[in-house]
Amino acid sequence: MNGLRMRFEAGELSFREVFEVSSNARRSTKIIDLEIYYHDQVGYGQASFPPYMVENREKNLEFLSNLDISRLAYPFRFAEIHQYLDKVSPVHRPAKAAVDMALHDLAGKLTGQTVSNYLMLEPKAPLFSSFTIGIGSDEFLLRQLDKAGEFPFLKIKLGAVSDYNRHAIDLIRRHSNLPLGVDFNQGLQDRETAIRMVEWLSGKGVEYIEQPMPVASEDDYLWLKSRSPMDIIGDESIQTPQDIINKKELFHGVNIKLMKCGGIYRAHESVRLARQLGLKTMLGCMVESTCAITAAAHLGALFDRLDLDGSLNIADDPYTGMRLEHGRIIMPGGAGTGVRKAG
């Protein structure tokens, strides 16, 4: 035996407010909480399952049940661990992310370092996150603008309805001159609609557009990228490091998330690869608890943009860790990720 023990359970995170994007509106998200124990230390991890992901929570639970914990021996050799995880299943990346972040948490605690120090990634300057505003009524948009307070950057969710898109941006522009990004979550269905919207948004202080069209529209992305006056960022199109290689010509940049790629190790690999290929980089998240957000934030110094506000809409966050003060990322300190159970 290697002294490691793992426990995990399914759960659900309730939201403070409905979160609506182009494909769905929801009040909660399914999760898996995971803990890995080694002697007197525990590492925390979490998997999140928003509806637009193809991942199924029950299948991810089954994947975790099939793992041979003895293959995760300390000291952790993360390349070998991920080779083993991928051999068990080529998918189930949210569960892999939970295992990976728990092991990184343990690695930091066992060596007396923060995860960012363990990875030699201590930021040289303060890091800031954008504030995300979902789709909703005028009252909702204005309420969210008020919550954004002194965040330095806004990310606005838009969708398939052009009238709503224009109205929402005009409303926000009447009340805020902050720089904007917009995220369509695949809401625009053809290149002509997309280029008209891109050209209109370019006059509204929008700096980038995220995943405007469906993942399958690769020819349309090539066409749009060559004509766009602003950066086109791939999100749903970019899951793994191999996707970055295969789709590098479609986008100006990529949004990397632990839940999509399989954790800290794969995200670190992905951002290095993207930078080598000359792509701009964003570190993003799902609507997740502070557990997963904090784990991701340890990689923040490597990215051009950070979008790590996903825990702000959690009604009763079961963890403490990273927090945001006027958009500035304040890390919790302490060894490992710094995540602790709340209460």
Side-chain angles (χ1 to χ4, degrees), residues 48-326:
S48 178
F49 300 89
Y52 67 81
M53 289 186 72
V54 297
E55 295 278 4
N56 175 282
R57 183 177 64 177
E58 285 61 42
K59 294 293 186 182
N60 276 255
L61 287 166
E62 183 179 334
F63 166 81
L64 291 171
S65 297
N66 290 334
L67 291 182
D68 177 3
I69 193 71
S70 69
R71 300 292 294 270
L72 313 180
Y74 182 78
F76 306 126
R77 296 178 174 86
F78 284 99
E80 295 176 13
I81 287 170
H82 277 272
Q83 287 174 4
Y84 165 66
L85 296 177
D86 291 342
K87 184 176 180 181
V88 176
S89 170
V91 290
H92 304 129
R93 285 184 285 270
K96 293 176 185 177
V99 170
D100 173 276
M101 68 180 77
L103 292 177
H104 275 89
D105 190 16
L106 270 180
K109 288 172 178 174
L110 292 168
T111 57
Q113 304 176 82
T114 65
V115 168
S116 53
N117 277 330
Y118 176 78
L119 298 172
M120 296 182 288
L121 297 176
E122 196 67 22
K124 302 295 190 297
L127 300 176
F128 291 85
S129 171
S130 56
F131 184 91
T132 301
I133 298 179
I135 293 172
S137 66
D138 289 3
E139 292 77 15
F140 171 81
L141 295 176
L142 293 175
R143 189 164 66 249
Q144 295 303 302
L145 270 179
D146 185 60
K147 288 182 179 180
E150 297 180 30
F151 273 71
F153 197 92
L154 300 176
K155 177 174 172 177
I156 313 301
K157 296 286 189 177
L158 298 178
V161 182
S162 294
D163 287 346
Y164 172 83
N165 295 338
R166 294 171 186 268
H167 174 76
I169 295 299
D170 281 338
L171 177 66
I172 288 167
R173 272 288 164 252
R174 288 198 294 271
H175 294 271
S176 174
N177 61 2
L178 286 174
L180 304 178
V182 300
D183 185 0
F184 284 93
N185 293 110
Q186 309 181 72
L188 304 179
Q189 296 305 305
D190 60 79
R191 63 173 70 176
E192 289 78 15
T193 302
I195 191 61
R196 286 195 299 270
M197 184 56 62
V198 166
E199 290 172 345
W200 183 81
L201 289 167
S202 68
K204 299 292 181 176
V206 175
E207 296 186 0
Y208 70 83
I209 291 184
E210 195 172 338
Q211 198 72 40
M213 297 177 293
V215 170
S217 302
E218 294 193 359
D219 289 343
D220 289 340
Y221 273 111
L222 275 172
W223 183 91
L224 182 65
K225 180 186 176 184
S226 68
R227 292 162 173 79
S228 175
M230 69 183 78
D231 290 339
I232 308 297
I233 307 297
D235 182 4
E236 289 91 338
S237 291
I238 305 297
Q239 304 287 323
T240 66
Q242 189 61 47
D243 288 332
I244 296 174
I245 296 171
N246 294 345
K247 302 180 182 184
K248 63 182 184 296
E249 302 299 333
L250 307 185
F251 303 103
H252 300 96
V254 293
N255 186 344
I256 296 167
K257 301 177 181 178
L258 301 193
M259 296 302 148
K260 294 192 301 178
C261 68
I264 293 171
Y265 176 82
R266 289 297 188 208
H268 194 184
E269 178 185 15
S270 295
V271 68
R272 292 198 310 266
L273 178 60
R275 293 170 74 90
Q276 289 168 6
L277 294 172
L279 295 168
K280 296 179 181 178
T281 58
M282 178 188 298
L283 179 60
C285 62
M286 312 301 181
V287 181
E288 303 162 349
S289 81
T290 297
C291 178
I293 301 291
T294 305
H298 282 277
L299 294 173
L302 293 174
F303 287 79
D304 299 315
R305 296 184 183 273
L306 304 179
D307 181 33
L308 296 177
D309 65 333
S311 64
L312 296 181
N313 196 30
I314 301 301
D316 190 12
D317 197 327
Y319 298 94
T320 63
M322 185 203 90
R323 67 185 194 277
L324 293 168
E325 291 185 358
H326 309 301

Side-chain angles (χ1 to χ4, degrees), residues 5-9 32-37 42-46 69 98 102 106 319 341:
R5 295 180 294 113
M6 182 170 67
R7 65 175 297 273
F8 52 89
E9 62 180 0
I32 298 172
D33 281 314
L34 179 143
E35 297 170 1
I36 298 180
Y37 298 85
V42 58
Y44 297 107
Q46 187 179 84
I69 193 71
L106 270 180
Y319 298 94
K341 286 285 189 71

